[in-house]
Amino acid sequence: MSAQDWLVMARADALRRGLDPLAPLLDGLVTSIQALRDATTQMDADGAERGAGAADDAERKAGAALGADGKPEGAAGPSAPSGIADLAARLASGKVKAERLVEDCLAAIATRQPELNAFITVTADEALAAAREADREAAAGRTRGPLHGIPLSLKDLIDQAGVPTTAASRVRVTHRAEADAPVTVRLRAAGAVFVGKTNLHEFAFGTTSEDSGFGAARHPLDSSRSPGGSSGGSAIAVATGMSVASVGTDTGGSIRIPAAACGIVGLKPAWGEVPAGGVVPLSRQLDHVGPMTRTVADAWLLYDVMRGFESGGARPGAPASCAGLRVGVPRGYLFDRLDQDVDRSVGEALERLSRAGAVVVDVAIASISEAPLAYLPLVLADAAEIHGATLDAMPAEYTPNVRLRLEMGRYVAGEDYVRAQRLRTRLTRDVDAALSGVDVLALPALAIPAPPIGAATMPVRGGDEPVRTAMLRCTQPFNLTGHPAISLPCGTTRNGLPVGLQLVGHRRGTPRLLDHARAVEALIARA
């Protein structure tokens, strides 16, 4: 079926079902689908899939460079005392009480929640009871693990036994989790205390956290702006001290986007390293679960706990030097459409790396501009499959924008879904190739600063860009490929809004990426 024939059929069906606002969205989708078809046709003509095993071979080589514990050979783990590590030591020594830490977080929630709407559920009584128990255990010389008594929050997609998991949707207002998600089990076993469930873009299907069944989340520095999404509430909680750290999810950038927008650290581990069971899915093949923290060392600590790695609680040393670090800069598509202040801040960070002895070189990701063509059919169709029953049973309970995206996924043709998978395979190989001679890729985490709530477009180099397109541009490729990626604060705009630098590591190389990120963080923090 031609793309135009498909469009005629899809529009007629949408109108028959009373979904008139979906019709113009289908016009945009057919443009993307035609471009996808053209790209795969050209790929066939070029023989671009020959040698497709190269990506897997590169992954095997990356894995061979790792020790048995999944860390680079010779690496000692996170290398400087982190905020959480210091807090844990003070808790163990009795210099600070877990109850006081929780009380401080709850006080911050009481003060800022009415304005920022970071939380959907606050579990104050449960958190205080858990903190008091943690203090009793510490007084008796017992600690559960590296997070003993540390207050955390969970994005409200992640199950916590006995607490609602709403996914920021009125579709799930009656839901209450019967058991902890595996990641919650691991955090709890390490001693974490949970203060609440954070707000998000409904079902994680958006980048601004404004389409929520419980009201928009708002930026901690300017409540007229978005904190980014979909893990917006988690970013607000960490930035304002409502929790010491948080756990988010990332399907197209939903950890890194709000981390960059709010000036914190957000890690998307390599795909599959952290279990996603007990987490409301958006796309099971693209979803990642990861930490949102104030420092890279804190992110590393949570990452180790969440993936099930036992560090033994060893005290880390100093960050590694940036001297000799090989940094690849994928200019072109990922740099062409940036806000001028984001461009300046990221450029200054790269200059500091070069002055510190890093080898900064330009690299190419051959198929990077085709990432949206692969991403859109996959995430739309995956999400539509997950939500099919509730879309039929209670469509009016979804926020209007999210419902329309989900309905649009029902019109993705199977042949185009397969084409998207083929492009995804090529993109993965091309990112591996770009990384073949460097340690990390460095690029913006977010092409624009936090946008005003309700904004349709934002100014970037070359003219205005739709907000959703601009926010996903630099992050979604690495959900398709599964490479680990992290956002670090690297400056501010002239209006004082945070800017994020994104580092991307080798597949199956999250510990190595974190080691490099610690060095970069230390350099940027000294600037």
Side-chain angles (χ1 to χ4, degrees), residues 72-100:
E73 292 288 355
S79 48
S82 72
I84 291 177
D86 285 346
L87 278 177
R90 293 169 64 197
L91 284 162
S93 68
K95 293 179 180 178
V96 67
K97 298 294 185 183
E99 184 176 7
R100 177 58 185 272

Side-chain angles (χ1 to χ4, degrees), residues 40-95:
T40 51
T41 298
Q42 186 62 49
M43 191 166 68
D44 289 338
D46 295 342
E49 287 184 302
R50 288 197 295 269
D56 291 332
D57 182 60
E59 182 181 12
R60 285 193 295 273
K61 291 178 180 177
L66 301 177
D69 63 357
K71 294 180 181 286
E73 292 288 355
S79 48
S82 72
I84 291 177
D86 285 346
L87 278 177
R90 293 169 64 197
L91 284 162
S93 68
K95 293 179 180 178

Side-chain angles (χ1 to χ4, degrees), residues 1-7 9 37 415:
M1 181 185 296
S2 73
Q4 286 303 316
D5 288 343
W6 171 91
L7 177 61
M9 180 196 71
R37 293 181 178 187
E415 61 186 282

Side-chain angles (χ1 to χ4, degrees), residues 38-401:
D38 292 344
T40 51
T41 298
Q42 186 62 49
M43 191 166 68
D44 289 338
D46 295 342
E49 287 184 302
R50 288 197 295 269
D56 291 332
D57 182 60
E59 182 181 12
R60 285 193 295 273
K61 291 178 180 177
L66 301 177
D69 63 357
K71 294 180 181 286
E73 292 288 355
S79 48
S82 72
I84 291 177
D86 285 346
L87 278 177
R90 293 169 64 197
L91 284 162
S93 68
K95 293 179 180 178
V96 67
K97 298 294 185 183
E99 184 176 7
R100 177 58 185 272
L101 294 181
V102 169
E103 287 173 343
D104 288 347
C105 289
L106 294 175
I109 293 171
T111 300
R112 304 298 305 275
Q113 172 68 8
E115 176 191 14
L116 303 180
N117 199 27
F119 282 80
I120 292 174
T121 302
V122 178
T123 53
D125 292 342
E126 179 180 331
L128 287 168
R132 291 169 188 140
E133 179 60 22
D135 286 335
R136 285 191 290 271
E137 291 172 341
R142 300 191 305 271
T143 59
R144 298 184 189 180
L147 299 175
H148 189 91
I150 301 297
L152 304 184
S153 57
L154 298 173
K155 183 178 183 178
D156 200 13
L157 289 177
I158 303 168
D159 280 349
Q160 178 183 344
V163 178
T165 304
T166 71
S169 180
R170 295 294 173 181
V171 172
R172 292 175 62 92
V173 289
T174 62
H175 177 276
R176 189 171 294 269
E178 296 181 358
D180 284 343
V183 69
T184 310
V185 170
R186 292 175 178 178
L187 292 165
R188 195 188 296 276
V193 174
F194 302 111
V195 298
K197 308 288 287 296
T198 57
N199 201 0
L200 62 142
H201 209 111
E202 184 182 28
F203 285 112
F205 211 175
T207 60
T208 61
S209 299
E210 60 189 277
D211 290 325
S212 166
F214 299 86
R218 297 179 177 274
H219 197 282
L221 298 179
D222 180 349
S223 61
S224 72
R225 292 179 179 267
S226 160
S230 62
S231 307
S234 288
I236 298 166
V238 175
T240 59
M242 296 181 186
S243 63
V244 171
S246 192
V247 181
T249 67
D250 192 312
T251 305
S254 289
I255 286 173
R256 291 159 290 155
I257 289 168
C262 293
I264 65 168
V265 172
L267 170 67
K268 180 191 78 67
W271 188 84
E273 288 187 313
V274 176
V279 179
V280 179
L282 177 59
S283 167
R284 293 182 179 90
Q285 62 180 321
L286 303 178
D287 292 344
H288 299 64
V289 181
M292 303 178 72
T293 61
R294 296 172 189 166
T295 68
V296 177
D298 285 358
W300 197 333
L301 194 158
L302 262 70
Y303 160 73
D304 271 350
V305 169
M306 292 161 64
R307 68 173 175 147
F309 179 79
E310 295 296 335
S311 65
R315 293 284 295 179
S321 169
C322 287
L325 179 67
R326 298 168 300 168
V327 179
V329 183
R331 299 194 189 276
Y333 173 82
L334 295 169
F335 280 77
D336 283 347
R337 303 274 292 166
L338 301 181
D339 170 88
Q340 61 179 343
D341 285 344
V342 170
D343 193 18
R344 171 185 52 78
S345 294
V346 170
E348 289 173 353
L350 294 173
E351 288 175 8
R352 289 198 293 272
L353 283 168
S354 183
R355 291 197 300 268
V359 180
V360 180
V361 297
D362 288 355
V363 298
I365 304 175
S367 58
I368 190 65
S369 65
E370 294 169 356
L373 305 181
Y375 181 85
L376 190 61
L378 297 180
V379 74
L380 286 177
D382 288 353
E385 182 271 329
I386 289 164
H387 287 271
T390 47
L391 273 176
D392 290 339
M394 51 181 73
E397 299 305 312
Y398 288 89
T399 58
N401 289 334

Side-chain angles (χ1 to χ4, degrees), residues 259-265 341-350 352-353 443-446 487-493 497-503 520-521 523-525 527:
C262 293
I264 65 168
V265 172
D341 285 344
V342 170
D343 193 18
R344 171 185 52 78
S345 294
V346 170
E348 289 173 353
L350 294 173
R352 289 198 293 272
L353 283 168
L443 62 148
L446 181 58
S487 177
L488 314 173
C490 74
T492 60
T493 68
L497 294 171
V499 175
L501 174 70
Q502 182 177 198
L503 302 178
V520 173
E521 176 188 52
L523 176 69
I524 292 174

